[in-house]
Amino acid sequence: MRAHRLQVDDIVLRLRAAGCVFAEEEAALLLEAADSPALLDAMLARRVSGVPLEHVLGWAEFGGLRVRVGAGVFVPRHRTEFLAHRAIELAAGLKHPVVLDLCCGSGALAAVVSAARPEAEVYAADVDEAAVSSARLNLPHARAVLCGDLFAPLPATLRGRVDVLLCNTPYVPTGAIALMPQEARLHEALGALDGGADGLDVQRRVATDAMAWLAVGGHLLVEAGEAQASTSVRLFEDHGLAARSEFSKEHDGTIVIATRLE
């Protein structure tokens, strides 16, 4: 027991020296994940070098689930749980909701919705092959997890049927990428972060085609920066959707919900 305690203390000290704020919690997770001293040393070395803990472990905690996250795949943020929770609430009155997770990354959003609504008909898509590989692990019961650009890979039979369209598009302005934490800049795909000059380039493309895929009464949910939300609302309104923004103090996150009324 004493030797184990010394080992934990050494790991914590190394993590603290590398700037890890939650060193004790990270040490416990690394010890849980490693089934040999050699593997523990390798995992600790990767973490100390700056690799995100989630990539070292191979999973991220999100919405009460352990979501598989492969190397280079966008790590789901806790603030995005607000998006998943609102999606579940909006689908509450539907017996068999059709759910689409676009720009799905690891599929974390669809996984949380599926856990709450296992009877849902779930689809997911992302342009990044590594992300799709992770999403397929996290969404084993989905109708399809597809690789392609936005709506392009989706089956035509899905048009006009989507009740809940989750779309956590990249929304960091290009000029702000350099200000992001090193873990994100160096270890996550740039395409999952960079939203163009004002951060809303991908949202504009989604807004252009969303009406055709949503069912009447269907909802599209995206995340946005607080300063972007009013612009995001307008761009969905310009494409025929009723839109509003919501802020969660608990999650410190802002989302935009756009609804097809007819």
Side-chain angles (χ1 to χ4, degrees), residues 23-93:
E24 290 84 359
E25 292 87 343
E26 293 196 14
L29 290 169
L30 290 171
L31 283 164
E32 174 192 330
D35 56 11
S36 71
L39 180 57
L40 177 60
D41 286 344
M43 294 176 73
L44 181 59
R46 293 183 68 211
R47 180 63 184 126
V48 169
S49 74
V51 177
L53 177 67
E54 294 81 2
H55 289 159
V56 174
L57 297 172
W59 58 267
E61 193 284 324
F62 183 80
L65 304 178
R66 285 191 173 185
V67 176
R68 298 283 291 275
V69 180
V73 176
F74 180 82
V75 176
R77 282 33 169 185
H78 287 296
R79 65 173 173 271
T80 307
E81 292 175 358
F82 180 38
L83 204 64
H85 294 161
R86 289 295 286 121
I88 292 167
E89 292 168 356
L90 290 169

Side-chain angles (χ1 to χ4, degrees), residues 60 62-63 65-70 73-76 80 84 99-115 122-126 128 130-142 144-146 166 168:
F62 183 80
L65 304 178
R66 285 191 173 185
V67 176
R68 298 283 291 275
V69 180
V73 176
F74 180 82
V75 176
T80 307
V99 177
L100 170 60
D101 189 353
L102 206 60
C103 301
C104 70
S106 63
L109 286 167
V112 171
V113 175
S114 294
V122 175
Y123 299 82
D126 198 286
D128 180 64
V132 170
S133 294
S134 289
R136 286 176 176 153
L137 296 174
N138 294 316
L139 300 169
H141 303 299
V145 181
L146 304 164
L166 294 153
N168 191 22

Side-chain angles (χ1 to χ4, degrees), residues 1-251:
M1 180 65 70
R2 184 180 179 186
H4 179 70
R5 181 69 254 169
L6 290 173
Q7 182 185 38
V8 173
D9 290 344
D10 180 60
I11 293 170
V12 170
L13 287 172
R14 290 180 63 184
L15 290 169
R16 284 178 177 166
C20 301
V21 177
F22 302 104
E24 290 84 359
E25 292 87 343
E26 293 196 14
L29 290 169
L30 290 171
L31 283 164
E32 174 192 330
D35 56 11
S36 71
L39 180 57
L40 177 60
D41 286 344
M43 294 176 73
L44 181 59
R46 293 183 68 211
R47 180 63 184 126
V48 169
S49 74
V51 177
L53 177 67
E54 294 81 2
H55 289 159
V56 174
L57 297 172
W59 58 267
E61 193 284 324
F62 183 80
L65 304 178
R66 285 191 173 185
V67 176
R68 298 283 291 275
V69 180
V73 176
F74 180 82
V75 176
R77 282 33 169 185
H78 287 296
R79 65 173 173 271
T80 307
E81 292 175 358
F82 180 38
L83 204 64
H85 294 161
R86 289 295 286 121
I88 292 167
E89 292 168 356
L90 290 169
L94 302 173
K95 289 185 178 181
H96 299 284
V98 177
V99 177
L100 170 60
D101 189 353
L102 206 60
C103 301
C104 70
S106 63
L109 286 167
V112 171
V113 175
S114 294
R117 299 293 306 272
E119 75 281 9
E121 182 180 336
V122 175
Y123 299 82
D126 198 286
V127 72
D128 180 64
E129 292 183 0
V132 170
S133 294
S134 289
R136 286 176 176 153
L137 296 174
N138 294 316
L139 300 169
H141 303 299
R143 290 292 181 91
V145 181
L146 304 164
C147 189
D149 187 28
L150 296 180
F151 298 98
L154 300 175
T157 53
L158 196 57
R159 292 175 71 91
R161 295 185 55 236
V162 179
D163 297 305
V164 177
L165 200 171
L166 294 153
C167 193
N168 191 22
T169 61
Y171 61 90
V172 179
T174 301
I177 295 292
L179 304 177
M180 295 188 70
Q182 180 172 303
E183 289 185 2
R185 287 188 289 108
L186 299 184
H187 298 283
E188 293 179 326
L190 181 61
L193 305 173
D194 192 342
D198 67 351
L200 298 177
D201 281 1
V202 182
Q203 282 192 25
R204 289 188 178 87
R205 295 180 58 213
V206 171
T208 299
D209 295 323
M211 177 77 85
W213 294 88
L214 286 170
V216 175
H219 306 284
L220 183 157
L221 299 89
V222 299
E223 194 169 87
E226 188 173 0
Q228 298 167 318
S230 60
T231 302
S232 183
V233 166
R234 287 195 300 272
L235 73 87
F236 287 110
E237 289 177 338
D238 288 345
H239 288 86
L241 300 171
R244 66 186 186 278
S245 65
E246 296 184 2
F247 174 77
S248 169
K249 184 176 181 180
E250 176 186 354
H251 298 92

